[in-house]
Amino acid sequence: MHTNMEKITEASSNYQNLEQMSVQEILISMNQEDQSVPLAVQKSIPQIEALVSKTVEQFKKGGRLFYLGAGTSGRLGVVDASECPPTFGVSFDLVVGLIAGGDQAIRKAVEFAEDDTQQGWKNLQEFQVNTNDFVIGIAASGTTPYVIGALKECQKNNIPTGCITCNTNSPLQKVSDYPIEVVVGPEFVTGSSRLKAGTAQKLVLNMISTSCMIQLGKVQGNRMVDMQLSNYKLVERGTKMIQEATGLDAEQAKKLLLEHQNVRKAIETFKKINKI
């Protein structure tokens, strides 16, 4: 099916006889390879910008963002989605990560789950996916049937699609309205796309979710003013933010924070009361 496409992600490693390397040689070589990843991402910024702009537009219509992937790609999507509520205080169903094989596949590989062309769309339908939403397929190879099948159905139903892949001209790119192709070249261990390709996908996911949330007003200055106060470290961080914004001492700032359970609300209330 994919014979006409050269899979750069499967190309032979630039390094030979890895088992004969010392630990230091392995580490230096891997680090050398990793340094090429941000430069590959940089080349894709115009594609990332187009996708983010569309995603923000969909959010403003009341839509959601879905990440869909298998294996490493699926796990990375789940990680990025799960970090949006604590970081930005958004509802847990605003950014949704779906993985082939279901949540059990986050910890343990589910055999052949990625080869089902129907399951991705079924998973999306469980969320009543609609034309206000945006669906991003994540697949290093760009050939994962679970992801391609889902995006095909999205396109038939006028649901905008994007992808993050590390090959060019892939079947996944062909079903994506907003493709992102980050070509990182051969892996240190041939075909092990959890390495450079996975790093590239993580960097791009960071850029997508963070830039979308900033555009939606979830950051003030450079602070996570809507973060959830889910541990002591975050309460302390929130207290410092309030101190900086209001000039209160630590004790007063913490009291205000715990009263309002939100940095933004605490600062706004203080300014309203003190007519600042």
Side-chain angles (χ1 to χ4, degrees), residues 200-212:
Q201 290 172 326
K202 172 69 174 135
L203 291 177
V204 171
L205 287 163
N206 285 348
M207 292 165 91
I208 292 170
S209 53
T210 306
S211 56
C212 282

Side-chain angles (χ1 to χ4, degrees), residues 125-169:
Q125 284 182 300
E126 287 164 27
F127 289 85
Q128 281 88 46
V129 67
N130 63 70
T131 52
N132 289 338
D133 298 325
F134 192 92
V135 179
I136 298 178
I138 313 170
S141 66
T143 59
T144 309
Y146 170 83
V147 179
I148 294 164
L151 265 57
K152 259 187 192 158
E153 289 300 321
C154 285
Q155 287 194 322
K156 280 185 204 165
N157 290 276
N158 296 318
I159 297 160
T161 59
C163 73
I164 308 170
T165 179
C166 297
N167 282 323
T168 50
N169 302 315

Side-chain angles (χ1 to χ4, degrees), residues 12-108:
S12 185
S13 172
N14 296 321
Y15 302 82
Q16 305 302 321
N17 306 315
L18 307 188
E19 73 279 17
Q20 290 166 25
M21 286 182 171
S22 68
V23 171
Q24 188 186 46
E25 285 170 329
I26 292 169
L27 300 180
I28 288 171
S29 303
M30 288 184 74
N31 178 249
Q32 194 67 45
E33 285 297 298
D34 287 342
Q35 288 178 41
S36 68
V37 177
L39 299 173
V41 172
Q42 184 180 35
K43 289 177 185 161
S44 304
I45 286 177
Q47 291 184 320
I48 302 169
E49 182 186 0
L51 181 146
V52 167
S53 301
K54 181 63 179 174
T55 307
V56 170
E57 195 183 300
Q58 296 297 93
F59 276 140
K60 287 182 174 170
K61 286 183 195 168
R64 299 157 294 175
L65 171 59
F66 289 91
Y67 295 135
L68 204 73
T72 299
S73 300
R75 291 181 194 106
L76 288 167
V78 169
V79 165
D80 196 71
S82 65
E83 288 172 348
C84 287
T87 310
F88 301 108
V90 295
S91 155
F92 70 93
D93 55 5
L94 187 69
V95 184
V96 179
L98 299 173
I99 183 169
D103 280 2
Q104 60 173 341
I106 295 168
R107 290 184 181 273
K108 192 177 171 196

Side-chain angles (χ1 to χ4, degrees), residues 245-269:
T246 62
L248 291 171
D249 65 31
E251 198 182 324
Q252 293 169 314
K254 190 170 183 178
K255 188 173 174 240
L256 195 62
L257 176 60
L258 295 175
E259 197 180 311
H260 293 281
Q261 290 295 308
N262 177 281
V263 175
R264 185 195 295 269
K265 278 186 196 144
I267 293 170
E268 283 174 357
T269 305

